[in-house]
DNA sequence: CGGTATCCTGACCGATACTG
DNA sequence: CAGTATCGGTCAGGATACCG
């Protein structure tokens, strides 16, 4: 009676450890996955502070969605909303220090995204 | 007449460069975003090859969704489906070399996800 | 300018049952 | 075992109009 046939699929400790990894990625994607969250964070990081700047910079996002996402990001501690009294009222968004922990994630995603886009372009070119 | 008030929001070259970043992240999220794709890739990378192994390892995924995602991953060049003739027919999934390019992304996401989960837990504990 | 309100569609996805 | 078929529900997010 073999206990492990091949691969590590039925090794208990292995399965547990794999679950830790899987949960971590799940948590990460839950927090910053979705179409817009990371893009908004990046856009703020690169100097866009105003609502309209963000909407202009992030192609395709609607006001409704940007508004909702900013609220969520604020609630989750990624973004700070600053309201300066005066006339007209000046509203600026900025990142919290916690957003800086995303640096490596963003960097690797940008790198991969660039090379992936190149790959897709090459394949498309070959398809003719 | 000031040309640039403050920040870099209206600097053209800057905006362009920011768009490159934004597009890269958009492409990446389009390809490997969503609830399951990365988890499936990770799960295969860690030795799970069979359909049922994957379904067992990836908590919460239904057969229907796993099937659809595997097809998409195959079509996009991340996964290879191997069918060994015999009885019963043995079907195994494995990663293509291209999936290896995701290593850094996965690594940073796992790291961040782990610390994020810790942060959430701490905040939850404080809330009492 | 910085949003909200309303409405709506389609993508995603869970459950269940069935098949070769 | 490795899926497919069908159904139905939820929800992200798009369009548009409006508001202080």
């Amino acid at each position: 009676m073999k206990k492990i046939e091949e691969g590590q699929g039925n090794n208990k400790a292995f399965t547990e450890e794999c679950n830790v990894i899987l949960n971590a990625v799940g948590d990460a994607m839950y927090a910053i996955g979705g179409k817009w969250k990371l893009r908004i964070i990046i856009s703020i990081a690169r100097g866009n502070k105003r609502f309209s700047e963000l909407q202009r910079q992030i192609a395709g996002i609607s006001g409704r969605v940007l508004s909702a996402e900013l609220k969520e990001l604020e609630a989750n501690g990624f973004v700070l909303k600053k309201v300066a009294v005066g006339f007209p009222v000046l509203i600026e968004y900025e990142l919290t220090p916690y957003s800086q922990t995303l640096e490596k994630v963003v960097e690797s995603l940008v790198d991969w995204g660039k090379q992936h886009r190149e790959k897709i372009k090459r394949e498309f070119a070959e398809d003719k």
Side-chain angles (χ1 to χ4, degrees), chain A residues 17-79:
Chain A
E17 201 238 317
C18 189
N19 272 330
V20 173
I21 307 284
L22 254 24
N23 285 335
V25 173
D27 292 347
M29 294 306 280
Y30 185 78
I32 55 165
K35 202 168 170 184
W36 302 115
K37 291 206 174 50
L38 265 186
R39 286 199 254 189
I40 293 169
I41 289 176
I42 293 169
S43 199
I44 298 178
R46 322 249 341 160
N48 300 287
K49 302 162 181 298
R50 316 294 303 278
F51 191 91
S52 45
E53 277 174 4
L54 290 169
Q55 202 177 352
R56 221 176 309 122
Q57 180 83 68
I58 303 168
I61 197 167
S62 72
R64 192 181 83 67
V65 171
L66 177 56
S67 169
E69 298 277 297
L70 280 170
K71 262 186 196 149
E72 231 184 290
L73 288 171
E74 203 189 343
N76 292 328
F78 292 106
V79 162

Side-chain angles (χ1 to χ4, degrees), chain A residues 71-90:
Chain A
K71 262 186 196 149
E72 231 184 290
L73 288 171
E74 203 189 343
N76 292 328
F78 292 106
V79 162
L80 234 52
K81 177 178 180 172
K82 300 234 168 173
V83 182
V85 280
F87 188 78
V89 176
L90 180 68

